[in-house]
Amino acid sequence: MMATLMALMAISTDAMLPAFPAIREHFGLVADSTATTGIISWFFFGIAISQLIYGPLADRFGRKPILFLGLGIYVVSAVWASLAPTLSMLYVARFFWGLGAAGPRVVVLSVVRDRFEGEVMAKALSIILGIFILVPVGAPALGAALISFLPWQSVFWFPAVLAVAVGVWALRLRETLNPKDRIELRPRRIARAAGEVIRHRATLSFALAGGLASAVLFTWLNLAELIVGDAYGRPDIFPYVFGGTAVFTGVAMFTNGRLIDRFTLPGVIRKAGSLFPIAALGLTAITFAAGGTPPMWQFLTGLIVLFMSFGLLASNLNTVAMLPLGHIAGTAAAVIGALTMLIGVVLALIPTAFFSGDLISFSVSTLVFAAVGFFFILKGQRATAPI
């Protein structure tokens, strides 16, 4: 159930990527316009900002009421997006759609932290995020299938229907918030809890590392359709390329539990964190050696290694960031989630703006993000007591 709730966020972005050409045509944009990336960015801005609201509410009223509040906003905003008369209005609808999607995200992380801690939590999150990350395997193909016989707006209708179905399933979810951990909705109390998250050096370092890792993912989300369709001239295989990277990311997440048993949680984070910039460096090297656009098989090989290391970092960085903050899990999940997502979305706008038809802006940005992220991983581990 938790994995499916998390998957709502992925289906809200990945299923609509094949519809971008139709959306450009509908709103009178040029064929290679990057304006459609705003459909992704504004959605994640909504998620990032609203987590700061959902977290304290989840710590006050419990996990289930906040879950259904988010699902309700999600459904209404998805329908609104399908009816948007202009691209600007579509951006607004997507922002509110993100406001809704943040509810399930905060609740999932809070429920997992309520139930587990330490390496057990990392393994649970690996399974949840592993299933979540596999959604992109089929989502682009699903989106392409929908728009082959329905209007392009159908990629907005489907997530709304899915959210209703998951909401019905979630009625059986038991409340996991311990009554003694409820906090009052007083600004000073909430600010104190949020300040505890920010002041914890290890938590802040791991959150910053997670944000930089997310920037790599968001850059790929923004540019994947243009890279495959324009740089390589193969829009026909886009669903398979996009889904293929997700397969390897998911495989890494599913093997995370066994790797933790062998190398410990800090060990896996350190190894995956070092592999991340190495993979990005290799991708950058082959890009420059080829004059901007390397052979597709070389690019995909580097991309697979990059996202496998990302897959090992995603759940583990969340785990170690939240580890000392179980007594304020909802607020902690909100602050950490907002920080990592804002960093990722904002940084991803830079290579998106500089995209010129080759892979240089993509590869260089991934190298910078991965290298700085590894720096914060090392900083966080120095500030962490042994797990």
Side-chain angles (χ1 to χ4, degrees), residues 269-335:
I269 292 175
R270 188 164 50 252
K271 293 178 188 301
S274 60
L275 179 61
F276 204 36
I278 292 173
L281 178 61
L283 190 60
T284 303
I286 62 174
T287 297
F288 276 96
T293 306
M296 181 175 279
W297 72 268
Q298 292 183 5
F299 169 68
L300 292 180
T301 300
L303 198 67
I304 286 169
V305 177
L306 186 73
F307 278 104
M308 288 190 75
S309 55
F310 170 82
L312 294 174
L313 287 173
S315 60
N316 292 334
L317 288 175
N318 261 302
T319 298
V320 291
M322 291 186 64
L323 192 62
L325 303 168
H327 57 292
I328 50 168
T331 302
V335 175

Side-chain angles (χ1 to χ4, degrees), residues 55-72:
L57 289 176
D59 281 341
R60 174 64 182 90
F61 298 107
R63 315 312 187 197
K64 286 190 70 173
I66 304 311
L67 172 61
F68 290 109
L69 172 64
L71 288 175

Side-chain angles (χ1 to χ4, degrees), residues 124-267:
L125 273 180
S126 294
I127 296 173
I128 291 171
L129 293 180
I131 297 172
F132 156 74
I133 208 69
L134 288 178
V135 171
V137 175
L142 172 64
L146 286 172
I147 63 177
S148 68
F149 64 91
L150 292 172
W152 63 262
Q153 290 88 345
S154 60
V155 296
F156 297 154
W157 304 337
F158 178 77
V161 173
L162 181 61
V164 172
V166 178
V168 173
W169 183 17
L171 289 172
R172 64 185 293 270
L173 178 66
R174 290 182 293 178
E175 181 58 58
T176 61
L177 176 63
N178 191 323
K180 67 181 179 64
D181 287 334
R182 292 181 184 269
I183 65 171
E184 297 179 17
L185 283 180
R186 292 186 301 188
R188 184 175 298 178
R189 179 73 178 272
I190 295 172
R192 187 162 60 245
E196 185 177 348
V197 175
I198 298 298
R199 288 192 302 271
H200 199 288
R201 289 187 298 171
T203 292
L204 181 59
S205 295
F206 289 129
L208 292 173
L212 286 152
S214 296
V216 175
L217 174 64
F218 292 140
T219 301
W220 173 239
L221 285 176
N222 284 346
L223 296 178
E225 182 249 345
L226 288 173
I227 288 175
V228 179
D230 288 2
Y232 287 106
R234 295 296 307 274
D236 55 308
I237 65 169
F238 168 69
Y240 308 105
V241 171
F242 194 84
T245 59
V247 167
F248 286 98
T249 307
V251 167
M253 287 182 169
F254 279 121
T255 59
N256 185 50
R258 292 186 178 181
L259 292 175
I260 288 174
D261 287 337
R262 181 173 180 180
F263 299 110
T264 75
L265 179 56

